[in-house]
Amino acid sequence: MKTPTTLHAGLTLALTAALSSTLLTACATSNESAAGADAPGVTEDSIKIGGVLTETSATGYSTGGAELGAKARFDRANAEGGVHGRKIEFLGAEDDGMIPDKGAAAARKLVQKEKVFALVPVSAPQFGGAEFLEQQKVPWVGWATGPFWCGKQSAFGFNGCLAPKPGQGTQTWWGNQVAAQLGGAGGKKVWVQATDSTASKYAIQTMSKSFTAAGFALAGTSAALPAQAPPQDWSPYVNKIMKSAGGRPPEVVVSVMAGGKFNSGLYAALKKAGYRGLITDATSYDPKVLSDPQTLQALEGVYSAPQFEPFESTAPEIERMRADLAKAGGANVVPDQHMATGYWSADVFLKMLEKAGKDLTRDAFFKAVQNFTYENKGFGRIRFPSGKTESNGCGALVKLDGGKFTIAKNLKCFDNTTL
């Protein structure tokens, strides 16, 4: 039979063991989420991040390069010690296949299974995870190209919002840069071509406004092309364009389609019909076109409109980006537009983390970036909250000339206009 002293000693040992276990659990929990329950993916020395991209699609369009772009920027940040002592644990990107439901599933996987703090980069023209991320209050940063980016607390486009609502600010840089390239917009007409996807149809409004604000007259627009696959016969669409400016072709054709086979098909058909005006889009600045003779021929002479200073630039910010990409992807890596959008998305996110401070939670992050301003000659500028509802107003022009890309207009920022 145990004495009271023995019982007391046993009880003391049991309580001590229980307390030690509790303290160890608390320490482990603290290490997993150093700033509390509002900081999934955050430890004392790391921040877990993952992205969603359109890496594959039925049309051939891909933003997959954004994964390497983000990795390159995060790698440099980690080599420099991270942000407030925390390094970025980058999981890479999920592929949404340009299918909204697949994008929504990818977002849920990253948040619920992988427990990421934020989604970076997001670059997908038909991304389906926006409402889920907004409801869960999970930050996401990337190339904002559709209306699902705009007006949300959780969404941060490094380029602002390209699909504002009527009455809000919309970009004029594209129209102004093309006008400068042509020596003025006076007396010139523009046609805007889209597919029947939500983002593409909405872009008709914003891009039309960009060009009319720059002084062009609108010859017409169309969103009749099916979004999932280009047509076998382009002649009905081309014939309409060729007669849109009072029976003659317009001086400018603007494509707001998701690149790939859509643009090469349209441009080849336009050239075959004798079109001699300026053709411009936001997606053809892609080195892959240089390796395919048919695509190269279709895109020769086309002006692409990236929202960053082109890779051909000698600006220090671009030289550093090229060096970061080479270090992350190998000396033979060929930079593309999507690597740049991923890189600048990651760059903006890192600046946001700096402002959020050491005690990182999602709530602290959102509070810190309510008023956020950052300028960089690589992509121009971004300001929040204005960037929630309007473009950052910055862009360049790159021409495919003689089988290689050349800078037509360096990156420049312009005032927005009311949509």
Side-chain angles (χ1 to χ4, degrees), residues 14 26 29 41 51 84 99 126 135 148 165 173 188 211 232 251 262 328 332 339 353 355 398 415:
T29 302
H84 298 299
I99 300 170
Q126 297 189 41
Q135 185 266 329
F148 49 84
K165 294 180 180 179
W173 68 261
K188 298 180 177 69
F211 281 82
Q232 295 295 315
E251 282 75 14
F262 278 101
N332 295 324
M339 292 181 194
L353 288 178
K355 188 174 183 187
V398 177
D415 291 337

Side-chain angles (χ1 to χ4, degrees), residues 46 64 67 102 113-114 128 132 134 145 207 214 232 276 285 292 325 328 355 398:
S46 69
E67 181 172 355
K102 192 174 178 181
K113 181 179 178 181
E114 302 294 346
F132 168 77
E134 182 75 352
T145 57
M207 299 312 156
Q232 295 295 315
R276 297 292 181 267
Y285 185 33
D292 180 71
L325 288 169
K355 188 174 183 187
V398 177

